[in-house]
Amino acid sequence: MSRQRIIVITLGIMLSIFMASMEATVVATAMPTIVSQLGGLESYSWVFSAYMLASTTTVPLFGKFSDLHGRRPVYAVAMTLFLLGSLLCGLAGSMEQLIFFRVVQGLGAGGILPLAFIIIGDTFSFEQRARMQGVFSGVWGVSSVIGPLLGGFLVDNVSWHWVFYINVIPGLLAGAVVLLALVDEPRKATAGAVPVDFLGAGVMSTAVVALLLGLFELGTPAGWGLLAGAVLLFGLLFWIEGRAADPMLPLPMFRDRLFAVACGHGLLAGFAM
């Protein structure tokens, strides 16, 4: 792959990550205005939660599908969902609609974010990946700071609808750049021979949702019940993945010290954030 093509792909991915990660925080300063116009004060927190739930639970699914069907088509689906969700969020006429459309937007973000790092692994050599991942992590950090500032600016000077509309043009640009410049590696002829671990994916998604919902309701009987359910589901997940022909979550990877430490670091860093 030529240097020019790599630069174009890198810029497109950086823009994709910036948008998807910024959407987790950009609505924070817009919510008082949104609530005053749409109502639904009792459920406004789900505007954040729905996005995070959808984006968190779909990460392993998009990663797996990209292994089976290629990066370009799966990236195109993720970007389409993200932009469609952004457009619908801006058109929402009630708090219920906004929450539902945030789920659609989160589904797209759940594909954009992991695919960005997968494409980095495909594009750069082993020696270059650490440096590039540092750059992309910096983009994530900057976007989390800019998000609330941008949301407040748009609400004060334009309209809360533009908190979501602002994604459309950059998203189309990022999607077009990546799809035109990225060349998929040929898939192996046996790629579809092993069945997709839909059972493991379903149990894993349900367990993550139960865990996050339990943390949202922490201190209440419902919250403790959800956390207990999440523990049981994760136990079931480990049992299923230990027997699956092609597991969604390969358990032997956790025996690798570097992989296990990286997962632990990600958990602690996310907790701090």
Side-chain angles (χ1 to χ4, degrees):
M1 190 180 299
S2 67
R3 177 180 173 82
Q4 290 78 8
R5 187 181 291 270
I6 290 176
I7 291 174
V8 169
I9 292 172
T10 301
L11 292 175
I13 294 174
M14 289 177 69
L15 184 55
S16 302
I17 290 179
F18 183 83
M19 288 190 312
S21 57
M22 184 180 68
E23 273 304 308
T25 58
V26 70
V27 298
T29 46
M31 282 311 300
T33 302
I34 293 174
V35 169
S36 69
Q37 294 188 18
L38 299 183
L41 178 62
E42 67 284 353
S43 58
Y44 86 96
S45 63
W46 280 100
V47 175
F48 308 96
S49 305
Y51 182 87
M52 296 303 295
L53 282 167
S55 61
T56 301
T57 55
T58 52
V59 164
L61 291 172
F62 276 104
K64 187 65 175 181
F65 286 137
S66 74
D67 289 340
L68 296 175
H69 305 294
R71 316 305 188 204
R72 293 177 76 254
V74 177
Y75 178 87
V77 169
M79 182 60 76
T80 300
L81 284 172
F82 181 78
L83 294 180
L84 177 63
S86 298
L87 186 62
L88 292 174
C89 283
L91 296 172
S94 67
M95 187 61 70
E96 291 75 17
Q97 290 181 4
L98 179 59
I99 292 170
F100 178 77
F101 296 146
R102 283 284 280 179
V103 172
V104 177
Q105 194 183 35
L107 291 176
I112 291 173
L113 295 173
L115 279 168
F117 289 98
I118 290 171
I119 293 171
I120 291 173
D122 292 342
T123 305
F124 294 95
S125 67
F126 184 79
E127 292 76 14
Q128 295 170 323
R129 287 177 202 168
R131 183 169 65 253
M132 294 309 302
Q133 286 179 342
V135 171
F136 282 86
S137 297
V139 171
W140 180 287
V142 170
S143 67
S144 66
V145 174
I146 290 179
L149 299 175
L150 181 60
F153 175 82
L154 291 173
V155 168
D156 285 344
N157 295 279
V158 190
S159 163
W160 69 263
H161 304 276
W162 281 92
V163 170
F164 305 104
Y165 291 153
I166 197 172
N167 293 319
V168 175
I169 298 301
L172 290 173
L173 177 61
V177 164
V178 173
L179 292 175
L180 289 174
L182 182 64
V183 178
D184 262 332
E185 294 292 329
R187 300 291 105 187
K188 295 181 180 179
T190 58
V194 179
V196 177
D197 181 23
F198 287 113
L199 178 60
V203 172
M204 178 161 53
S205 298
T206 306
V208 172
V209 169
L211 173 63
L212 294 179
L213 289 176
L215 292 174
F216 291 145
E217 302 293 335
L218 194 62
T220 66
W224 291 119
L226 286 165
L227 291 176
V231 171
L232 293 176
L233 285 168
F234 277 118
L236 177 62
L237 173 65
F238 292 144
W239 184 84
I240 292 171
E241 297 302 87
R243 289 158 179 79
D246 187 20
M248 186 69 64
L249 183 67
L251 298 180
M253 291 179 65
F254 289 95
R255 299 194 191 107
D256 184 291
R257 182 180 298 178
L258 181 59
F259 180 81
V261 169
C263 289
H265 177 271
L267 176 66
L268 294 173
F271 184 86
M273 290 288 290

